[in-house]
Amino acid sequence: MRFRAKIADIGCLNHFTRMINTIAKLTKTCTLRLTVDKLYFILSDKVANGGVGMWCELSQGNFFDEFQMEGVAAEHNEIYLELTPENLSRALKTAQNAKAVKIKLTNKNCPCLTVAVELPSLSSSSRVVTHDIPVGVIPRKLWKDFREPAVPDFDVSIYLPVLKTMKNIVERMKNLSDSIVMEANLNGDMNLKIETELVSVTTHFKELGNPPWVSENGSQGSTQERDPESMVEARIDIKKLLQLLAGQQVNPTKALCNIVSKRIVHFILLHDDVSLQYFIPALA
Amino acid sequence: MKCIVTGGNVKALGKAVHSLSRIGDEVYIEPLQEGLSLRAVNASRSAYACFLFAPLFFQHYVPVESKSVPDAGPVRCKVLMKSFLTVFRSLSLLEKTVEKCLISLRFCASMLRVQLHCRYGVVKTHDLSFQECESLQAVFDTEQCTHTLRAPPRLLVDAVVHFPLTLAEVTMGASPGGKVSFRSYLEEETEAGRTMVTELCLSEDEFQVFHVKQETQVTFCLKEFRGLLSFAESSNLPLNIHFDIPGRPAIFTLEDPLLEVHLVLATLSEPDSHSSQMTSCTPKAVASAYDFTSDDIDAYMIAMETTCAGTEGASPSPSPTFPTPHASSDTEDLDSDPEGTVPGTPPQKKFRSLFFGSVLNQSQTLMYPGSGQEVLAEDSEGES
């Protein structure tokens, strides 16, 4: 099992740092899956995680100048690691004006993801800072827990408004209520609602647009028969929604969400080479 | 005692107080012929700092009032750090508005008066109650330290910035080969395997003085060191680091015609006994830092089972406070301390209180007629 990668371009480094920061804001621990051409940051939707799931996919070619990996065996050429993204985020924070950053899988008393940062210095040789981030190696028999989640059989799919606007609204709503109702229809309308004994607040968004989903398995069926005006809703934990909106450091080119009535809200954020999916289960 | 500080020196004084506030809860003020000294020591007596401002630092400096009682002896006092820091809280405000700072010790009123003369004729007067006390003097000698480093403060600030603020201690390693490394110090068992370890290497040519006779590693507290660095950076004075074998104090000094600063930090004794993990992976880590440019791919087969570090029995550590009064020789006491090296005890307990031995032993009868407890009681009364 080997892994070694290098980033030399400052733009790529900043982009990668922002991605890691975003992930660190979403979850305390996650699984890092490495394949020959992609990196995945995964949080499986177990009850222990409050039913929240995350799937983030990065093409290594868009970030790394060098990327070498070798899995346990040729036919299973992958590596699965348990990682605290906060540590990686902290390590990269010290690399802001780095000349190059290397990330390696090493064995130092415990398995580590070693981040070596080459910094400019006043002397002839450059200064090197290394961060050894302890990781857990996930054995092959557990890999099946980390499959890509299927797009749920949603009732409504809708583009999201500018995330910053949404964040500002949800932030204020958070002071009033613990849960928020997200509802949307096929006419491009979305409402964010909170209802408490004392107050009801609703923010209406119009003409957001509904993304066209190509039918594969008949999931479109239920969507097409639906009355475009009728709202589909799911009540979710407002803190989890805010975590996603506030932690955003990558300005996505496309952001949408799929709502399964009273069951789950599935967010998809796309930014050319990166996709982040986030699942928030509906509250009972 | 009376002194007047003007101009940019007010800010320097403020910075010094901020730096001292990282160390102790009380500031010891002692007007001496050679200048005004401000000192602090931490609760576990493992860190001590002394700022000595030469008479030239002041516009006006009178250490002893002529009409003071003749046999009152030298004047010394301590005030609560919190109240003293309040006076100098905002450094930017000090810089912008304060034109003159007047400090006077008024024994008749038992008050330390700090007056800030600000712009537009505003005068802020702070009267702080003080307690008389004995001189606080750590026992150390930079001459006895085998190794010396001198570096511009910026270099060390840049090095320390990579470590998380939550990190308590850092291990500094130096080798005659011309490398200085800083590495996170982790307590074994509890943190190993979960906490990120950061290491940084600096090369000899970034230092102004590099006297390292043999490879040495010392571990000391980061918080106090950061405090001094921030002062050193603002005054742009090169920082001298004197250190010796592990367990002996590391002494950090700044020197200027107007100002002398000493920070003495206890170091953990016996680096090779505090954790089998540390010693086993240190050489490896150093190597990885050096071979940054080499392009060989590390082939490590990851061991799936967690390696368990040696579990030596932990016995209670000695009291981190005063050394026993009947200790025959302080230096002997420092060097031979089997209990101080017990692994797995909280960090401050592992630091030996190294510096107060001889002063306490010499003046013990004067200062502490009874036990240490009585002194504590005396302190709390004075605050009322």
Side-chain angles (χ1 to χ4, degrees):
Chain A
M1 209 161 29
R2 303 153 191 245
F3 168 64
R4 180 178 163 281
K6 183 179 173 183
I7 305 180
D9 181 84
I10 192 84
C12 291
L13 180 62
N14 287 340
H15 190 19
F16 187 66
T17 306
R18 279 196 298 270
M19 274 318 298
I20 300 300
N21 291 346
T22 303
I23 290 159
K25 289 268 159 53
L26 286 176
T27 175
K28 276 207 163 62
T29 60
C30 71
T31 301
L32 170 60
R33 175 187 168 200
L34 301 164
T35 67
V36 172
D37 41 40
K38 283 194 170 172
L39 292 91
Y40 302 85
F41 294 89
I42 306 163
L43 181 69
S44 57
D45 54 348
K46 287 186 192 133
V47 186
N49 305 327
V52 173
M54 178 187 74
W55 182 267
C56 179
E57 208 173 307
L58 283 68
S59 296
Q60 58 91 350
N62 289 317
F63 293 94
F64 296 94
D65 297 87
E66 288 166 33
F67 194 91
Q68 289 162 271
M69 65 89 46
E70 225 173 79
V72 229
E75 69 272 26
H76 299 284
N77 198 14
E78 300 188 16
I79 299 174
Y80 283 73
L81 303 171
E82 185 76 34
L83 171 78
T84 306
E86 173 65 33
N87 279 338
L88 189 53
S89 158
R90 222 189 275 148
L92 291 169
K93 197 177 283 169
T94 70
Q96 275 162 350
N97 56 348
K99 290 202 273 188
V101 173
K102 271 185 191 174
I103 303 176
K104 273 188 203 175
L105 187 60
T106 56
N107 190 9
K108 297 185 175 178
N109 189 50
C110 70
C112 281
L113 207 56
T114 296
V115 179
V117 180
E118 192 186 355
L119 294 165
S121 76
L122 298 172
S123 76
S124 49
S125 58
S126 49
R127 199 177 293 166
V128 176
V129 185
T130 59
H131 302 276
D132 294 327
I133 304 167
V135 291
V137 176
I138 297 170
R140 214 189 307 173
K141 60 173 190 269
L142 297 178
W143 287 9
K144 59 180 182 340
D145 293 350
F146 305 104
R147 298 236 172 86
E148 178 166 10
V151 174
D153 190 4
F154 53 83
D155 298 295
V156 164
S157 177
I158 191 161
Y159 288 117
L160 290 172
V162 178
L163 293 183
K164 203 165 175 217
T165 313
M166 219 172 134
K167 187 197 101 181
N168 290 338
I169 292 161
V170 175
E171 229 163 31
R172 274 155 193 76
M173 286 178 163
K174 201 193 95 188
N175 299 327
L176 300 170
S177 171
D178 294 335
S179 65
I180 185 170
V181 174
M182 281 189 80
E183 57 175 21
N185 64 16
L186 292 172
N187 202 26
D189 304 323
M190 185 178 85
N191 301 333
L192 298 176
K193 275 203 306 207
I194 54 163
E195 280 164 341
T196 68
E197 284 174 11
L198 295 173
V199 65
S200 296
V201 184
T202 308
T203 308
H204 303 270
F205 295 94
K206 304 261 173 235
E207 294 167 24
L208 294 173
N210 300 90
W213 283 85
V214 185
S215 173
E216 275 177 21
N217 45 13
S219 67
Q220 202 79 343
S222 60
T223 316
Q224 276 165 349
E225 290 152 20
R226 182 171 286 283
D227 169 17
E229 295 292 331
S230 87
M231 287 287 187
V232 168
E233 63 162 55
R235 196 165 62 86
I236 57 174
D237 186 338
I238 198 160
K239 272 194 238 118
K240 285 177 180 141
L241 176 61
L242 193 61
Q243 238 179 358
L244 175 71
L245 297 170
Q248 259 317 300
Q249 294 209 358
V250 188
N251 210 14
T253 43
K254 242 179 217 167
L256 56 104
C257 82
N258 300 324
I259 303 176
V260 184
S261 178
K262 297 190 169 59
R263 276 201 39 228
I264 201 162
V265 184
H266 172 211
F267 296 89
I268 305 176
L269 310 182
L270 297 171
H271 181 97
D272 358 296
D273 43 357
V274 181
S275 76
L276 174 71
Q277 298 182 60
Y278 196 61
F279 299 83
I280 305 178
L283 300 168
Chain B
M1 185 274 287
K2 200 174 174 185
C3 63
I4 298 169
V5 187
T6 54
N9 286 0
V10 180
K11 197 189 172 193
L13 179 65
K15 267 273 180 193
V17 176
H18 277 250
S19 187
L20 283 165
S21 72
R22 304 265 194 133
I23 291 166
D25 297 330
E26 284 162 331
V27 57
Y28 292 73
I29 301 167
E30 190 171 345
L32 302 166
Q33 285 304 329
E34 59 265 36
L36 179 67
S37 110
L38 303 181
R39 300 172 196 192
V41 64
N42 70 350
S44 61
R45 307 237 154 191
S46 61
Y48 160 90
C50 171
F51 284 75
L52 181 68
F53 298 97
L56 273 175
F57 178 85
F58 303 93
Q59 193 193 54
H60 177 74
Y61 180 73
V62 184
V64 187
E65 279 167 82
S66 50
K67 58 175 183 277
S68 65
V69 192
D71 61 11
V75 183
R76 301 182 189 104
C77 72
K78 58 180 177 181
V79 294
L80 279 183
M81 185 66 81
K82 225 163 96 187
S83 7
F84 201 55
L85 182 62
T86 313
V87 181
F88 301 99
R89 177 72 71 189
S90 166
L91 292 171
S92 58
L93 214 63
L94 280 185
E95 195 175 25
K96 266 186 256 161
T97 65
V98 179
E99 289 162 346
K100 193 164 88 172
C101 170
L102 200 145
I103 303 174
S104 56
L105 208 52
R106 297 163 60 226
F107 252 86
C108 44
S110 262
M111 285 288 176
L112 176 77
R113 172 166 284 188
V114 184
Q115 265 186 338
L116 301 178
H117 293 254
C118 308
R119 276 193 305 187
Y120 312 117
V122 176
V123 179
K124 295 182 194 167
T125 306
H126 301 263
D127 280 333
L128 312 176
S129 63
F130 69 79
Q131 291 171 271
E132 283 184 66
C133 64
E134 278 301 316
S135 175
L136 178 77
Q137 178 60 58
V139 183
F140 61 90
D141 184 8
T142 54
E143 297 296 310
Q144 283 183 5
C145 291
T146 325
H147 316 294
T148 306
L149 297 173
R150 181 187 296 157
R154 189 74 234 165
L155 175 74
L156 297 163
V157 169
D158 281 347
V160 164
V161 77
H162 296 287
F163 293 90
L165 287 174
T166 50
L167 184 72
E169 292 111 22
V170 70
T171 303
M172 182 179 78
S175 69
K179 287 281 177 190
V180 176
S181 71
F182 290 89
R183 180 186 170 87
S184 321
Y185 174 78
L186 299 187
E187 289 197 64
E188 70 173 324
E189 288 158 21
T190 47
E191 293 168 40
R194 272 189 286 142
T195 313
M196 181 162 85
V197 176
T198 298
E199 174 156 359
L200 169 91
C201 279
L202 302 171
S203 68
E204 179 179 358
D205 49 5
E206 297 195 76
F207 289 83
Q208 293 158 336
V209 170
F210 188 94
H211 290 312
V212 178
K213 302 207 172 67
Q214 76 237 24
E215 188 153 352
T216 310
Q217 287 195 7
V218 287
T219 302
F220 50 84
C221 285
L222 198 49
K223 190 182 85 173
E224 288 84 2
F225 183 49
R226 279 198 165 111
L228 179 68
L229 276 181
S230 121
F231 180 84
E233 198 189 10
S234 72
S235 56
N236 203 25
L237 292 174
L239 184 79
N240 300 299
I241 308 174
H242 305 273
F243 60 104
D244 206 325
I245 54 166
R248 308 272 300 179
I251 304 152
F252 305 84
T253 64
L254 302 174
E255 272 159 41
D256 188 81
L258 298 184
L259 171 81
E260 221 175 89
V261 185
H262 288 92
L263 171 71
V264 186
L265 295 179
T267 64
L268 287 182
S269 36
E270 297 286 305
D272 36 22
S273 79
H274 59 64
S275 152
S276 52
Q277 166 250 333
M278 289 290 291
T279 39
S280 65
C281 64
T282 300
K284 218 183 268 177
V286 169
S288 83
Y290 295 159
D291 70 1
F292 186 85
T293 42
S294 75
D295 273 345
D296 61 312
I297 179 160
D298 281 355
Y300 286 115
M301 209 55 214
I302 305 294
M304 294 298 290
E305 70 282 331
T306 49
T307 48
C308 31
T311 49
E312 293 133 282
S315 61
S317 65
S319 158
T321 52
F322 305 103
T324 42
H326 45 77
S328 53
S329 158
D330 302 302
T331 40
E332 259 186 272
D333 185 33
L334 304 177
D335 290 337
S336 58
D337 175 43
E339 284 177 14
T341 65
V342 171
T345 47
Q348 63 271 42
K349 307 250 164 169
K350 280 191 268 181
F351 287 116
R352 293 280 291 144
S353 158
L354 300 163
F355 336 118
F356 300 91
S358 64
V359 164
L360 286 172
N361 287 340
Q362 282 159 13
S363 58
Q364 196 195 135
T365 44
L366 293 168
M367 292 164 69
Y368 304 113
S371 66
Q373 291 303 322
E374 278 182 44
V375 178
L376 290 175
E378 188 185 297
D379 281 1
S380 49
E381 273 166 23
E383 280 164 31
S384 57

